[in-house]
Amino acid sequence: MEFKLEAHRIVSISLGKIYNSRVQRGGIKLHKNLLVSLVLRSARQVYLSDPCPGLYLAGPAGTPAVAPPQQPGEPVAGPPPGWGDPPPPAGPAAWPEPEPQPQQHDGPGAESAESVVAVAEDAVMGAEAAAAWSRVERPRGAVTVEGSDVIPEGPRAGESQSVAPPAVCPRKRGAAGVGGGRTGCAMPGSTPLKKPRRNLEEQPAGGEEEGEEEMETGNVANLISIFGSSFSGLLRKSPGGGREEEEADEGGPEAAEPGQICCDKPVLRDMNPWSTAIVAF
Amino acid sequence: MAGAGGGNDIQWCFSQVKGAVDDDVAEADIISTVEFNHSGELLATGDKGGRVVIFQQEQENKIQSHSRGEYNVYSTFQSHEPEFDYLKSLEIEEKINKIRWLPQKNAAQFLLSTNDKTIKLWKISERDKRPEGYNLKEEDGRYRDPTTVTTLRVPVFRPMDLMVEASPRRIFANAHTYHINSISINSDYETYLSADDLRINLWHLEITDRSFNIVDIKPANMEELTEVITAAEFHPNSCNTFVYSSSKGTIRLCDMRASALCDRHSKLFEEPEDPSNRSFFSEIISSISDVKFSHSGRYMMTRDYLSVKIWDLNMENRPVETYQVHEYLRSKLCSLYENDCIFDKFECCWNGSDSVVMTGSYNNFFRMFDRNTKRDITLEASRENNKPRTVLKPRKVCASGKRKKDEISVDSLDFNKKILHTAWHPKENIIAVATTNNLYIFQDKGN
């Protein structure tokens, strides 16, 4: 139990750091944000693998009607949905491709912020959701493929991020592809990327290889409530307004009806504002 | 602890401290880099405000050569200014990340200084004579009325008070998308490398309008990013060899003869992780913050959050020596993550003979490890010991349990007082240790 609380606490702290990094002088520091996102991922994995059914708090009144999740702690088949990984083959959810959304990007911008954001999202979502998200995330990440090198951006990137809902059609962006992000970048085996990523999947040592169960989508609402009111304002806003509101709005009800999103699926409706909020980072 | 002379224990004494006394530290005064030049006569510091201050060692007075000369301010100049990248809406900090000296070729000194985006080559030259006796100008510079000139004379050089001038000779800009963390001058003294989070570029000192990219680890899909470059350095003797360290705790050695783009390493140095030490923060603390070749070129040293490791270039699978800097912090990683201390980037350095290595810690402590005797010592940079030739008392941190007299408990360490930057004179036992905004110089007592 305490592992879960500890993991939860670390996730909150990490998200706070990512948030604060937006306003740091000198722009977003790629290295630090990468490390924070790795911690976020580890904490998420521990959070999910620690079987503790009693932890999930009752959702607030407005919790969207989502089928109660599988018991937490059920083992997952396949490797954990990683950052940019293809969805786990055993993922039961078969999300339709999110509808194409025009992405307002002045430029690829905030590459690191996006990637970090992707992991932040992973941290709060179920595996099934993550399966879908990895398809969704990649396109956003794929946006960076087309662009010239851009420094991870500060507030400006955050703005453009909040405007664009995360569910961008991957097909528009090409290179990274859908569901096979890795194939799009066939790097020679000796680059640092493949090896560390493989390691990451094989990790964590500590017996969690089997433990990366699929996340249940119903947890999302619970997780949102767990993370507390500081993110509540984000849930209420449409993607376009998300950013402006997030600083002003604290302490609202967590489960307020999410704003406009691109996908009809009720679960996605829950998740999109959440991820939009994080995207706003 | 054996010094450069070998054999006898060094007793480190306070020599000097530079910088403001007040506890209220102006952010611009925070020292961000310290570097001796090749002879050790000059000591350069860079700060967060973009300034470079160079200290020069006084020539030894042969008569009273009790200690080596003191370091006094030689030159101060504003190297970098804050900039704003309008296209990306990004402020570029003026903080000096690194200074590297060029070997001296003529009367002037040259150094490279860099902030996050731009590297500059500075020429520091002395002027101790000036022309006097112009015909058309008065000594104060006013022009004389030509009609009053009745005779001609030849202007001559007369001595004047020494003036040290710094002028930017080259500006190497617009080559880095990410933040520059390292610069390193090649042993050919014609080229140098600059490294940011994802790329390493090779420059020629004379050419500012282009550079060659020699390492690029940026993934096609940024979401697949798993590691970044944290430091890079050229080999001290082989002009074709350099290393770069990563946030995953690996070091790659590359040979520029192998290919133009050195994405494929020639050697990969990595120590397998100890599974019993695994925690949420294992990845952070394995990130290498500094890599330095030994003067001999046979070894290299890496610094991660808790330890210093010495690697033999001929052995890739593990370091030959590992020294724990502050292992008592391992149980505090969560708090250190919360207060951001876990992201502190400590540097490390070799002494001139490669027998002792030094690195900083918290509470204004710094540590030295003697590779031969395997002894280590913890010292403190503090104004309390500021009588010259006062021998520094070794400090000890009590990890847990009963605290002995004179020991300091982990919980009373001041994590705001961190020593990130240290430098060792290339030939003598003189060290420069930077606390937040002060520079301490220590020397060994025996002379």
Side-chain angles (χ1 to χ4, degrees):
Chain A
M1 176 71 173
E2 54 275 13
F3 294 128
K4 251 190 156 66
L5 289 176
E6 178 75 357
H8 167 213
R9 191 166 143 258
I10 289 176
V11 168
S12 313
I13 294 169
S14 304
L15 290 173
K17 286 188 194 298
I18 295 175
Y19 180 79
N20 288 331
S21 72
R22 291 187 313 146
V23 298
Q24 266 171 8
R25 223 181 140 225
I28 296 182
K29 308 270 189 278
L30 181 59
H31 183 200
K32 182 175 176 185
N33 280 278
L34 177 68
L35 295 177
V36 170
S37 66
L38 293 175
V39 170
L40 200 49
R41 186 209 298 253
S42 301
R44 176 195 71 145
Q45 288 171 349
V46 166
Y47 187 81
L48 297 169
S49 66
D50 192 5
C52 190
L55 180 65
Y56 293 100
L57 310 176
T63 307
V66 172
Q70 312 162 256
Q71 283 312 305
E74 249 177 303
V76 119
W83 182 359
D85 283 353
W95 300 118
E97 278 308 310
E99 290 156 25
Q101 284 283 329
Q103 180 133 5
Q104 298 180 28
H105 257 275
D106 306 327
E111 296 169 352
S112 72
E114 291 177 62
S115 318
V116 159
V117 153
V119 172
E121 294 175 34
D122 264 4
V124 300
M125 283 173 222
E128 293 160 343
W133 277 125
S134 51
R135 268 172 285 160
V136 166
E137 288 163 2
R138 218 170 297 107
R140 209 169 351 97
V143 167
T144 70
V145 173
E146 65 176 12
S148 54
D149 288 330
V150 177
I151 309 168
E153 286 185 332
R156 178 135 160 251
E159 273 167 36
S160 56
Q161 288 283 13
S162 66
V163 166
V168 171
C169 173
R171 284 183 276 271
K172 283 199 169 167
R173 300 303 169 185
V178 177
R182 212 179 309 184
T183 63
C185 58
M187 305 275 246
S190 59
T191 59
L193 299 164
K194 290 243 158 128
K195 189 167 174 220
R197 197 172 30 172
R198 252 179 261 121
N199 287 344
L200 218 45
E201 285 159 20
E202 284 146 19
Q203 279 175 359
E208 289 169 357
E209 284 98 343
E210 316 307 319
E212 187 56 30
E213 64 285 286
E214 290 170 336
M215 286 167 144
E216 297 74 35
T217 58
N219 290 351
V220 172
N222 295 325
L223 289 171
I224 290 171
S225 65
I226 288 169
F227 285 134
S229 57
S230 53
F231 292 110
S232 62
L234 309 171
L235 303 176
R236 262 183 270 136
K237 308 305 164 191
S238 67
R243 185 186 148 71
E244 289 74 46
E245 299 290 353
E246 74 199 2
E247 279 117 16
D249 244 316
E250 307 239 311
E254 283 82 27
E257 189 62 15
Q260 296 302 317
I261 17 137
C262 58
C263 181
D264 288 338
K265 287 274 172 191
V267 176
L268 271 183
R269 191 194 303 153
D270 292 335
M271 295 188 295
N272 274 345
W274 176 246
S275 61
T276 302
I278 301 181
V279 163
F281 288 156
Chain B
M1 176 159 46
N8 303 321
D9 276 1
I10 295 186
Q11 288 187 296
W12 288 102
C13 304
F14 173 87
S15 174
Q16 295 171 273
V17 59
K18 307 285 189 193
V21 186
D22 9 290
D23 284 337
D24 200 16
V25 180
E27 186 158 338
D29 293 337
I30 295 174
I31 298 173
S32 51
T33 184
V34 180
E35 187 83 356
F36 279 100
N37 76 336
H38 290 252
S39 65
E41 186 204 354
L42 297 177
L43 176 60
T45 62
D47 64 26
K48 241 182 154 189
R51 290 167 304 206
V52 171
V53 179
I54 302 177
F55 302 92
Q56 183 188 42
Q57 193 180 29
E58 272 174 23
Q59 292 310 308
E60 272 184 59
N61 189 328
K62 293 284 192 281
I63 300 167
Q64 6 159 298
S65 57
H66 292 298
S67 64
R68 297 173 191 87
E70 279 198 342
Y71 283 84
N72 298 314
V73 176
Y74 178 66
S75 173
T76 304
F77 57 93
Q78 186 75 33
S79 171
H80 288 72
E81 299 274 2
E83 287 173 52
F84 197 80
D85 183 334
Y86 294 98
L87 216 51
K88 296 162 190 162
S89 253
L90 253 200
E91 194 180 359
I92 300 171
E93 272 192 286
E94 66 278 27
K95 171 168 77 87
I96 308 294
N97 292 334
K98 284 288 185 321
I99 289 173
R100 290 287 181 263
W101 289 93
L102 266 71
Q104 190 171 11
K105 285 194 289 193
N106 52 37
Q109 302 279 355
F110 288 85
L111 60 78
L112 285 176
S113 69
T114 185
N115 69 348
D116 284 340
K117 297 289 177 187
T118 304
I119 306 137
K120 295 188 183 181
L121 176 69
W122 287 89
K123 175 180 177 184
I124 297 107
S125 47
E126 294 183 359
R127 190 195 292 266
D128 61 357
K129 294 189 258 295
R130 63 185 173 138
E132 288 179 16
Y134 284 107
N135 293 290
L136 294 176
K137 268 198 301 191
E138 302 285 2
E139 294 307 329
D140 59 9
R142 276 181 307 140
Y143 280 95
R144 291 169 68 183
D145 179 357
T147 57
T148 64
V149 178
T150 53
T151 59
L152 288 180
R153 55 187 174 168
V154 177
V156 292
F157 273 104
R158 291 257 146 78
M160 59 178 256
D161 289 339
L162 179 67
M163 201 165 73
V164 180
E165 301 169 321
S167 60
R169 306 302 287 179
R170 305 272 186 277
I171 297 184
F172 305 92
N174 300 322
H176 285 281
T177 306
Y178 300 94
H179 295 116
I180 296 175
N181 52 56
S182 310
I183 48 174
S184 175
I185 299 175
N186 202 345
S187 50
D188 65 8
Y189 300 145
E190 285 187 354
T191 56
Y192 73 95
L193 63 77
S194 57
D196 67 25
D197 292 315
L198 296 179
R199 299 195 175 92
I200 302 180
N201 293 334
L202 181 70
W203 302 83
H204 192 284
L205 284 164
E206 298 291 327
I207 299 170
T208 58
D209 62 354
R210 74 198 94 123
S211 69
F212 289 104
N213 174 248
I214 52 177
V215 172
D216 187 341
I217 64 167
K218 179 168 182 277
N221 182 353
M222 273 299 278
E223 293 198 354
E224 293 171 4
L225 181 72
T226 55
E227 69 181 329
V228 297
I229 297 169
T230 53
E233 193 177 57
F234 265 119
H235 190 277
N237 306 320
S238 305
C239 59
N240 52 283
T241 305
F242 66 92
V243 294
Y244 67 92
S245 60
S246 82
S247 55
K248 275 189 158 329
T250 64
I251 310 102
R252 285 172 176 77
L253 184 142
C254 300
D255 186 335
M256 295 195 289
R257 298 170 300 187
S259 71
L261 192 58
C262 296
D263 281 357
R264 300 175 78 95
H265 53 263
S266 299
K267 292 194 184 190
L268 173 66
F269 298 85
E270 187 174 14
E271 183 176 29
E273 193 191 348
D274 178 2
S276 63
N277 273 336
R278 183 131 181 86
S279 75
F280 286 126
F281 310 105
S282 301
E283 281 146 331
I284 299 189
I285 63 171
S286 66
S287 175
I288 292 174
S289 51
D290 194 16
V291 66
K292 291 264 172 46
F293 276 105
S294 65
H295 293 91
S296 64
R298 164 90 188 267
Y299 298 97
M300 65 178 174
M301 164 166 55
T302 58
R303 175 70 157 97
D304 51 67
Y305 189 64
L306 296 180
S307 68
V308 160
K309 296 181 182 174
I310 313 276
W311 303 78
D312 184 325
L313 291 192
N314 302 313
M315 184 160 77
E316 295 168 61
N317 60 347
R318 61 178 175 79
V320 288
E321 294 154 39
T322 302
Y323 301 103
Q324 300 301 333
V325 181
H326 36 219
E327 181 70 10
Y328 46 79
L329 295 183
R330 193 181 286 275
S331 53
K332 312 273 177 202
L333 293 180
C334 194
S335 321
L336 295 165
Y337 178 71
E338 273 184 84
N339 64 15
D340 269 2
C341 282
I342 207 174
F343 301 105
D344 287 336
K345 297 192 182 162
F346 292 95
E347 293 175 6
C348 53
C349 60
W350 297 85
N351 74 341
S353 61
D354 297 338
S355 58
V356 184
V357 297
M358 170 168 66
T359 189
S361 178
Y362 293 103
N363 211 67
N364 281 348
F365 289 168
F366 57 100
R367 303 261 284 137
M368 292 184 187
F369 303 93
D370 187 318
R371 300 177 61 213
N372 298 325
T373 65
K374 302 297 181 206
R375 290 216 293 262
D376 62 86
I377 190 170
T378 304
L379 298 172
E380 182 179 0
S382 146
R383 284 184 183 264
E384 285 167 17
N385 310 324
N386 65 353
K387 292 206 194 72
R389 304 179 60 70
T390 311
V391 176
L392 297 181
K393 194 173 73 165
R395 315 297 272 174
K396 197 147 165 55
V397 177
C398 161
S400 60
K402 292 222 176 79
R403 188 176 74 87
K404 301 201 193 90
K405 177 168 146 8
D406 282 353
E407 281 188 358
I408 297 170
S409 75
V410 181
D411 298 313
S412 53
L413 293 175
D414 187 344
F415 290 95
N416 291 319
K417 294 189 179 167
K418 49 191 91 169
I419 292 180
L420 302 175
H421 312 286
T422 59
W424 204 309
H425 190 290
K427 302 183 172 69
E428 317 271 3
N429 281 330
I430 302 175
I431 54 176
V433 171
T435 59
T436 308
N437 65 332
N438 287 156
L439 183 72
Y440 287 79
I441 299 173
F442 301 105
Q443 298 188 7
D444 83 61
K445 191 182 180 83
N447 202 353

